[in-house]
Amino acid sequence: MVRGPEWMRSGPRKPVELHTDRPHAARVYDFLLGGKTNYAADREAAQRTLLALPNAALIARQNRAFMHRAARYLAAEAGIRQFLDIGTGIPTTPNLHEVVQAIEPRSRVVYADNDPIVLTHSRALHTSHPEGRTAYVHGDLCHPDGILDDPELARTLDLGEPVALTLVAVLHWLPKECDPFAIVSRLLDALPPGSFLALSHVTDDFEPKALDEVAEDFRRSGSHVNVRSKAEVAEFFTGLELVEPGIEVLQRWRPDSADIEAGSLADTDIPLYGAVARKG
């Protein structure tokens, strides 16, 4: 028997406004992954993205596959039993906790996001193995202390023990006034030695014109896409010990031999870098 997170059993919550009349990044991503938690405005934005970047759905799938591989490495090889996943997005099976609890059922996972659509679906879909635990924190990555100080996080994770911080395809969405490097540094400062950082980030190293078109389309709908070079992505890992093979395009980071799609890709087909690193 699986169980929901503690907040899910504490009674009804107020309804949230989902703004279905305008595109939402999490729902556009859901559409590109073949999900059904999206609306007409999201599908229209996704089609525009596909016009500018025809392999956008492939990019979404490879980003998801990177998350699965990184999570398996952290649980199986690094022995991590606690995970803080910020910018989790709309739950899509298998979720991070399903991946790591399949390896170690006692694993504990806290998901954090500030999007109402994610909050709504997390209430129903983030259910834990009975030996482990999941929780959801409704918090803003631009204000990391609000996430770190949330009572639900304290009830679920022991910050005196190693934690894997996962920031998968989220840092490039932060608005200009938020300093992503300071935010990552603050989060890592709260975690003990032996903890890990896993992230993926969009880059314009390969397709700058197409990425500019996609970014501009999202800006018109109120979202921000901040692309970064490999050297800039490397700054997030300052002072950390990178896990082999270091910072790589997603399809080259510890590829699964069974992933035929990844094996057929060129080095420049997926404009995202990914890496995992350990805090010493």
Side-chain angles (χ1 to χ4, degrees), residues 2-3 71 75 81 83 95-109 127-134:
V2 295
R3 65 177 186 174
R81 300 293 177 256
F83 295 80
N95 298 303
L96 187 147
H97 73 276
E98 293 172 312
V99 174
V100 300
Q101 288 180 349
I103 296 167
E104 174 46 73
R106 293 172 295 178
S107 297
R108 293 182 165 223
V109 180
T127 55
S128 174
H129 188 285
E131 294 182 36
R133 183 165 180 167
T134 65

Side-chain angles (χ1 to χ4, degrees), residues 28-35 45-65 214 250 261 265 269-272:
V28 172
Y29 185 63
D30 175 76
F31 174 81
L32 292 173
L33 285 172
Q47 293 298 340
R48 292 194 298 272
T49 297
L50 287 165
L51 285 174
L53 200 62
N55 61 342
L58 172 63
I59 292 168
R61 292 196 300 273
Q62 285 299 314
N63 183 65
R64 192 76 183 168
V214 172
L250 299 187
E261 181 178 75
L265 297 174
D269 283 343
I270 305 298
L272 279 90

Side-chain angles (χ1 to χ4, degrees), residues 180-200:
F181 301 102
I183 288 167
V184 172
S185 179
R186 172 69 189 99
L187 290 165
L188 288 171
D189 283 346
L191 305 180
S195 294
F196 283 80
L197 169 65
L199 66 79
S200 62

Side-chain angles (χ1 to χ4, degrees), residues 150-169:
D150 192 283
E152 196 59 54
L153 185 145
R155 284 192 288 268
T156 308
L157 304 181
D158 176 2
L159 297 189
E161 296 293 330
V163 175
L165 169 65
T166 58
L167 299 164
V168 178

